[in-house]
Amino acid sequence: MSYRPSLTVESCNKNVLRAKYAVRGAVPQRAYELESKLRAGEKLPFSEVIYCNIGNPQQLNQHPITFFRQVMSLAMNPDLLENPKTVELFPQDAIERARDIVRRTPGGLGAYSHSMGLEFIREDVAAFLNDRDGHPADKNTIFLTNGASPGVQTILQCLIRDHNDGIMIPIPQYPLYSGTIDLLGGSILPYHLTEETGWQLEMTRLVEALADARSKGLTPRALCVINPGNPTGSCLSEESMLEVMRFCKREHIFLLADEVYQTNIYQLAKPFVSFRKVLLDNPELEGLELASFHSCSKGFLGECGIRGGYFQLENVDASIRAELYKLASLFLCPNLVGQVMVDLMVKPPRGTPSAEHYEQEKRAILDSLQRRARKLSQCLNRLQGVSCQVVEGAMYAFPKITIPQRACEEAKRRGQSPDLFYCMSMIDEAGICVVPGSGFGQVDGTFHYRTTILPPEDKFDIVMERMTAFHNSFLARYQ
Amino acid sequence: MSYRPSLTVESCNKNVLRAKYAVRGAVPQRAYELESKLRAGEKLPFSEVIYCNIGNPQQLNQHPITFFRQVMSLAMNPDLLENPKTVELFPQDAIERARDIVRRTPGGLGAYSHSMGLEFIREDVAAFLNDRDGHPADKNTIFLTNGASPGVQTILQCLIRDHNDGIMIPIPQYPLYSGTIDLLGGSILPYHLTEETGWQLEMTRLVEALADARSKGLTPRALCVINPGNPTGSCLSEESMLEVMRFCKREHIFLLADEVYQTNIYQLAKPFVSFRKVLLDNPELEGLELASFHSCSKGFLGECGIRGGYFQLENVDASIRAELYKLASLFLCPNLVGQVMVDLMVKPPRGTPSAEHYEQEKRAILDSLQRRARKLSQCLNRLQGVSCQVVEGAMYAFPKITIPQRACEEAKRRGQSPDLFYCMSMIDEAGICVVPGSGFGQVDGTFHYRTTILPPEDKFDIVMERMTAFHNSFLARYQ
């Protein structure tokens, strides 16, 4: 008789089974398969798969910031700092910055650091926050992390005791939130953003969601806001932020501010303002607990693979900061390269020879993202049955698509939701990988998908053409 | 009235509060404080704090492997690969290896990879396992991770459903295990290693621990073995491993093999043999589920700060591998620098110009660790009331100390356990930071501490002298 495994889906932690993460779900799996086929020489209706499922700029040929990589390259190999020939390959200010980093990093990049991250980097983050918000920050409220996601998990781990504890999240949302809440055994408390007004956050929706949760005996412990929005591409007004924070204070709720897209702003009416600034500008909000998240993966850096990020706490009880430190210690420390990338992000070159090139690279990437954001929403809005809100910030569009009745029936036959069927058809026919709206949440009976704005400009028109041709042929088939 | 925070220890997840991690606990905190005082010019009985609390070789001046850092430095800054002057600073084989890595990494080190890690690196790990064990490995059973610790957490997350699920762990153990089990709300099922026989694993202890767990209505889901042992420094015989695996198969228990110290072996009688090899060599064990962990942080690399590691699964159900993939996806991917460091670890230079220097560096570090391991246990065994087992492998000694009655009374007055009081006295008086045995577990009424063998050889005698002088003065005071 063959051995029966002890660990199967039947005997697995049910919270693990419950958690979902669509950004790497069925459609990307299909994309990988098709890419393998292309590599194996198989003939498909397209010559290349284009990944618009994930905010991964360097995968789509965005060049990293030159100065940052020069410094990292030197800090990784400090023997170079002793070599007189190094000046022929690296600019002097990169050498000096690397020397400074190595000097201030006990044991270098190969040693575990303090579990919250290197002290000098937390000081540099604090200085950045002071510059940005006009309010000093305490380095002991800053935790460096492997990208933003583990920080979100760590804080939710403290907040969620059991399924009676709920976390309010926007719908649509980035599925890190729903996935982590499920994994930790908490309850998801959805509040809907209003698509018609550009995915704005309306207070009535928060009030309803809260009342609904309490009527079910659930305890809302925290409210999560993503600004600029993922997947919506919308930006919050300062007035709206103030209302949200008043709500949190009144209802005794912890605020989680996902601000990883803070430099991805493509309009002038709503410049980025941090929740931290609004909190500290308004004495009426005194005491409100806030955790803000930032990352090297987005903005104009796009250093996703490096896994660098941080979170910062305001008004969080010292005893909880001690618990967060203990949890960080259990996993020793965030990776040192990610920590140094955070340092470069918050303290870029200024007034040194590399500063000008840095500013040029930064501007070129952000301007290009702005052009692509506009082009994408314009293109989508020209399609029959498709409407797309203005992409004000972040890296995504979340268009609404009307799916013909006969296509819905075909989807049902295949055991797929209509939006999944649409996205599966798009990858199969056009080689473009996007994520169905169901992975982010949407009003019942409506369908969306999320696409990034990241294909490079020299391919952008081709992507738009392929999306358009696919959409028209899909409609022609099922209308 | 001032705002009362919503998240305090009273309202925090109790599993978070329960989790402990002594390696960065009270004694290291005290060490940081003393180090600050020294920096501020204060006069203390020592001029430098020496950290023996954590296996962090580069913090104590171990030089990273030159070739690995050269390759990483180039892969981090691929512009160098196009520059004709690069050959003046880097050996040709490092340039070629970096070029190969960059070519096979879609988007380079700044792009998210596949959530399980880059495919070519998983293939290289599979080839390494085949060479090591004489049995081919499947790349789809390999997950790259940010060091070994997150892999342990991910698998325990699947295994532990609630407090009725228990994980068998050795006592003494590395507190990642107890901490993570507490955090996930499971039950710790301790089995004691036998100090008198060099911390060997005896079957009667496993049988007793299992019976004890079942008598309490608990379900033992997995057994964890650390080989070479942390904190014990002991190595398992192949016979002992076979017995353990028979036990696991008979009792329908998942085996977790922590083998991060597999290259840290300081004797010839018990060379490292992997649990995977024993499993696949013995048909009677067919079907037994095994997860093995490895890391770049230990061995002769000591690349702790890079956070690279992997786990590999044998006989684990495909449905569970799919769940593990989903969990990995939720946090996007392990950091790419750590992934590449794993690649360098499993595929070092061979037959190229840098190979000889690599072998020299490797040999020098391992030989030096062996000398230090011997010197440390010899020194400790010379102290009155101290006994230390032979350090056969890993990076630690775990001496037993007899603490005089009057010292135990003084500890009690201070609200400290006797071993904590001893270690606190050692940091205060000798500036040497070690971890009390209570952080790892010990037989009631016995006291130990864990110290690493890592202080560099040119300081090792000073550390031994300071430890000896401290111990003698402690005894003189309290005997």
Side-chain angles (χ1 to χ4, degrees):
Chain A
M1 202 185 73
S2 82
Y3 186 82
R4 168 180 54 90
S6 73
L7 180 60
T8 62
V9 285
E10 285 73 35
S11 58
C12 181
N13 178 339
K14 294 294 171 283
N15 293 334
V16 169
L17 305 181
R18 197 174 295 132
K20 298 273 171 290
Y21 189 70
V23 174
R24 297 250 175 139
V27 186
Q29 282 291 356
R30 181 78 184 136
Y32 300 146
E33 288 165 30
L34 293 173
E35 201 172 32
S36 296
K37 288 185 179 185
L38 282 174
R39 269 203 304 267
E42 204 168 313
K43 199 85 186 141
L44 295 176
F46 44 86
S47 60
E48 184 189 10
V49 170
I50 295 176
Y51 288 95
C52 299
N53 60 307
I54 186 164
N56 194 6
Q58 296 190 28
Q59 183 193 35
L60 296 172
N61 303 334
Q62 183 177 305
H63 193 279
I65 299 293
T66 304
F67 180 79
F68 292 1
R69 292 301 193 98
Q70 287 168 334
V71 173
M72 200 69 84
S73 175
L74 291 163
M76 182 54 77
N77 186 11
D79 293 349
L80 291 177
L81 298 172
E82 313 302 321
N83 192 320
K85 286 192 176 149
T86 298
V87 292
E88 296 175 30
L89 274 165
F90 292 86
Q92 193 58 42
D93 52 354
I95 293 172
E96 277 160 25
R97 182 69 179 268
R99 194 168 276 144
D100 190 54
I101 287 167
V102 169
R103 188 179 57 76
R104 298 167 87 179
T105 304
L109 300 189
Y112 295 128
S113 70
H114 190 285
S115 297
M116 291 169 68
L118 288 160
E119 192 172 9
F120 81 89
I121 298 182
R122 288 184 285 124
E123 285 167 357
D124 288 342
V125 172
F128 162 80
L129 294 174
N130 185 23
D131 285 354
R132 189 193 67 184
D133 300 334
H135 299 278
D138 174 355
K139 69 178 177 211
N140 295 314
T141 63
I142 294 161
F143 286 70
L144 305 184
T145 48
N146 290 316
S149 304
V152 171
Q153 187 188 34
T154 303
I155 293 176
L156 289 178
Q157 204 148 30
C158 293
L159 284 161
I160 297 174
R161 291 163 296 188
D162 57 39
H163 68 277
N164 290 314
D165 280 342
I167 308 294
M168 300 180 73
I169 61 172
I171 296 296
Q173 51 111 25
Y174 175 53
L176 165 70
Y177 293 96
S178 53
T180 304
I181 296 165
D182 279 337
L183 192 59
L184 296 170
S187 288
I188 294 167
L189 308 178
Y191 65 89
H192 282 268
L193 303 173
T194 307
E195 180 163 12
E196 296 67 34
T197 56
W199 299 111
Q200 285 304 294
L201 198 171
E202 290 179 11
M203 287 310 295
T204 51
R205 300 304 188 93
L206 287 187
V207 172
E208 282 165 20
L210 186 85
D212 184 51
R214 290 198 172 140
S215 75
K216 292 173 180 157
L218 303 176
T219 306
R221 302 250 16 213
L223 170 75
C224 164
V225 181
I226 311 172
N227 180 46
N230 176 4
T232 61
S234 70
C235 293
L236 284 179
S237 67
E238 204 170 330
E239 183 53 34
S240 188
M241 294 167 71
L242 188 56
E243 282 183 343
V244 167
M245 298 181 94
R246 284 182 185 134
F247 170 86
C248 287
K249 181 162 182 188
R250 189 169 64 239
E251 303 297 345
H252 205 231
I253 286 176
F254 197 110
L255 178 59
L256 304 171
D258 180 337
E259 299 177 331
V260 300
Y261 298 99
Q262 60 189 262
T263 51
N264 298 105
I265 303 286
Y266 312 124
Q267 40 71 45
L268 297 169
K270 290 179 281 184
F272 176 75
V273 180
S274 72
F275 274 101
R276 180 174 181 272
K277 179 173 168 57
V278 178
L279 171 62
L280 299 175
D281 278 353
N282 288 279
E284 63 172 303
L285 298 173
E286 195 183 331
L288 176 65
E289 295 149 285
L290 169 68
S292 310
F293 303 90
H294 197 13
S295 165
C296 303
S297 302
K298 310 300 170 187
F300 53 95
L301 278 72
E303 292 283 14
C304 302
I306 299 299
R307 312 309 298 120
Y310 71 82
F311 64 85
Q312 194 268 338
L313 305 171
E314 290 293 339
N315 299 322
V316 172
D317 201 61
S319 66
I320 295 299
R321 284 196 275 127
E323 293 299 321
L324 291 168
Y325 172 60
K326 186 184 69 184
L327 292 183
S329 299
L330 197 54
F331 296 94
L332 298 154
C333 69
N335 87 81
L336 271 280
V337 174
Q339 294 190 39
V340 171
M341 192 58 83
V342 168
D343 194 56
L344 292 164
M345 174 175 76
V346 299
K347 193 181 167 187
R350 278 194 203 103
T352 62
S354 295
E356 193 182 340
H357 188 229
Y358 162 79
E359 292 294 341
Q360 281 166 3
E361 288 183 316
K362 170 181 172 175
R363 191 42 44 218
I365 292 169
L366 290 176
D367 286 352
S368 166
L369 285 172
Q370 178 163 8
R371 287 191 296 272
R372 288 179 270 170
R374 289 201 181 145
K375 204 174 227 179
L376 179 65
S377 61
Q378 283 165 3
C379 164
L380 290 168
N381 279 317
R382 277 196 293 266
L383 301 181
Q384 189 192 336
V386 175
S387 71
C388 181
Q389 300 300 313
V390 173
V391 179
E392 299 174 327
M395 293 183 170
Y396 313 98
F398 197 62
K400 179 156 73 176
I401 42 175
T402 309
I403 298 186
Q405 186 55 33
R406 283 180 44 222
C408 293
E409 287 157 14
E410 177 60 27
K412 200 171 177 185
R413 265 192 295 278
R414 299 184 186 209
Q416 296 175 345
S417 63
D419 54 347
L420 175 58
F421 175 59
Y422 182 90
C423 295
M424 281 298 223
S425 304
M426 196 191 305
I427 183 67
D428 278 339
E429 296 169 29
I432 296 172
C433 181
V434 298
V435 188
S438 43
F440 305 90
Q442 53 198 351
V443 171
D444 283 347
T446 69
F447 301 108
H448 300 75
Y449 64 85
R450 187 188 82 166
T451 175
T452 71
I453 60 169
L454 295 176
E457 285 196 287
D458 59 0
K459 281 188 193 159
F460 210 79
D461 288 338
I462 301 169
V463 173
M464 298 296 92
E465 282 162 25
R466 273 156 66 174
M467 271 188 175
T468 302
F470 157 73
H471 183 78
N472 291 338
S473 117
F474 186 88
L475 284 196
R477 204 173 328 147
Y478 294 107
Q479 238 169 10
Chain B
M1 201 186 72
S2 84
Y3 187 80
R4 167 181 55 91
S6 73
L7 179 60
T8 63
V9 285
E10 285 73 35
S11 59
C12 181
N13 179 339
K14 293 295 171 283
N15 293 332
V16 168
L17 304 181
R18 198 173 294 133
K20 298 273 171 291
Y21 188 69
V23 175
R24 298 247 176 142
V27 187
Q29 282 292 357
R30 181 78 185 136
Y32 300 146
E33 288 166 30
L34 292 172
E35 200 171 34
S36 297
K37 288 186 178 184
L38 282 174
R39 269 202 304 267
E42 204 168 312
K43 199 86 186 139
L44 295 177
F46 44 86
S47 59
E48 185 189 7
V49 171
I50 295 177
Y51 289 95
C52 299
N53 60 308
I54 186 165
N56 194 6
Q58 296 190 28
Q59 182 193 34
L60 295 173
N61 302 335
Q62 184 178 303
H63 193 278
I65 299 292
T66 304
F67 180 80
F68 292 1
R69 291 302 192 95
Q70 287 169 334
V71 173
M72 200 68 85
S73 174
L74 291 163
M76 184 53 78
N77 186 11
D79 292 350
L80 291 177
L81 297 172
E82 314 301 322
N83 192 319
K85 286 192 177 148
T86 297
V87 292
E88 296 175 31
L89 274 166
F90 292 87
Q92 193 57 44
D93 53 354
I95 295 173
E96 277 159 27
R97 182 68 179 270
R99 194 169 273 142
D100 189 55
I101 287 167
V102 169
R103 188 179 57 76
R104 298 168 87 179
T105 303
L109 300 189
Y112 294 129
S113 70
H114 189 285
S115 298
M116 291 168 68
L118 287 161
E119 192 172 8
F120 82 89
I121 298 182
R122 288 184 286 124
E123 285 166 357
D124 288 342
V125 173
F128 162 79
L129 295 174
N130 186 23
D131 285 354
R132 189 192 66 183
D133 299 335
H135 298 278
D138 174 355
K139 70 178 177 209
N140 295 315
T141 63
I142 295 161
F143 288 70
L144 305 184
T145 48
N146 289 318
S149 306
V152 171
Q153 186 186 36
T154 304
I155 293 176
L156 290 178
Q157 203 148 31
C158 292
L159 283 161
I160 297 173
R161 292 163 296 189
D162 56 40
H163 68 276
N164 291 313
D165 281 342
I167 308 294
M168 300 179 73
I169 60 171
I171 295 296
Q173 52 110 26
Y174 175 54
L176 165 71
Y177 293 96
S178 53
T180 306
I181 296 165
D182 279 336
L183 192 59
L184 295 169
S187 288
I188 293 167
L189 308 178
Y191 64 91
H192 281 269
L193 303 174
T194 307
E195 180 163 10
E196 295 68 32
T197 56
W199 298 112
Q200 285 305 293
L201 197 171
E202 289 178 12
M203 287 309 296
T204 50
R205 301 305 187 92
L206 286 187
V207 172
E208 282 165 20
L210 186 85
D212 183 53
R214 289 197 172 140
S215 75
K216 292 174 181 154
L218 303 175
T219 305
R221 302 254 12 217
L223 171 73
C224 165
V225 181
I226 311 172
N227 181 46
N230 175 3
T232 62
S234 71
C235 293
L236 283 180
S237 67
E238 204 170 330
E239 184 52 35
S240 188
M241 293 167 72
L242 188 56
E243 281 183 344
V244 167
M245 298 181 93
R246 283 183 186 134
F247 170 85
C248 287
K249 183 162 180 189
R250 189 170 62 239
E251 302 297 346
H252 206 231
I253 285 175
F254 197 110
L255 179 59
L256 304 171
D258 179 336
E259 299 177 330
V260 301
Y261 297 100
Q262 59 188 261
T263 51
N264 298 104
I265 303 286
Y266 312 124
Q267 40 71 43
L268 297 169
K270 290 179 282 183
F272 176 73
V273 181
S274 72
F275 274 101
R276 181 174 180 272
K277 179 172 167 56
V278 178
L279 172 62
L280 299 176
D281 278 353
N282 289 280
E284 63 171 304
L285 298 172
E286 196 184 330
L288 176 66
E289 296 149 283
L290 170 68
S292 310
F293 303 89
H294 197 13
S295 164
C296 303
S297 301
K298 311 300 171 185
F300 52 95
L301 278 73
E303 290 284 14
C304 303
I306 299 298
R307 312 308 299 121
Y310 71 84
F311 65 84
Q312 193 268 337
L313 304 171
E314 290 293 338
N315 299 321
V316 172
D317 202 61
S319 65
I320 295 299
R321 283 195 276 127
E323 293 300 321
L324 292 168
Y325 172 60
K326 185 184 70 185
L327 291 184
S329 300
L330 196 55
F331 295 95
L332 299 154
C333 69
N335 87 80
L336 272 279
V337 174
Q339 294 190 38
V340 171
M341 192 58 83
V342 168
D343 194 55
L344 292 163
M345 174 175 73
V346 298
K347 194 180 165 185
R350 279 195 201 100
T352 62
S354 295
E356 194 183 339
H357 188 227
Y358 162 78
E359 292 295 339
Q360 280 167 3
E361 289 182 316
K362 170 181 171 176
R363 190 44 41 217
I365 293 169
L366 291 176
D367 286 351
S368 166
L369 286 171
Q370 179 163 8
R371 286 191 295 273
R372 287 179 270 170
R374 289 202 181 144
K375 203 174 228 179
L376 179 64
S377 59
Q378 282 166 5
C379 165
L380 290 168
N381 279 317
R382 276 197 293 266
L383 301 182
Q384 189 191 338
V386 174
S387 70
C388 181
Q389 301 299 314
V390 173
V391 179
E392 300 175 327
M395 292 182 170
Y396 313 98
F398 196 63
K400 179 156 73 176
I401 42 175
T402 308
I403 297 185
Q405 186 54 33
R406 282 180 46 222
C408 292
E409 286 158 14
E410 177 61 27
K412 199 170 178 187
R413 263 192 296 277
R414 297 182 186 211
Q416 296 175 347
S417 62
D419 54 348
L420 175 58
F421 175 58
Y422 183 90
C423 297
M424 282 299 226
S425 303
M426 197 191 306
I427 184 67
D428 277 339
E429 296 169 28
I432 296 173
C433 181
V434 298
V435 189
S438 44
F440 306 90
Q442 53 199 351
V443 171
D444 283 348
T446 70
F447 302 107
H448 301 75
Y449 64 85
R450 187 187 83 166
T451 174
T452 71
I453 59 169
L454 296 175
E457 284 197 285
D458 60 358
K459 280 187 194 161
F460 210 79
D461 288 337
I462 301 170
V463 173
M464 298 298 91
E465 282 163 25
R466 272 156 65 175
M467 272 188 174
T468 302
F470 158 72
H471 183 76
N472 291 337
S473 115
F474 186 87
L475 284 196
R477 202 171 329 146
Y478 293 108
Q479 241 170 5

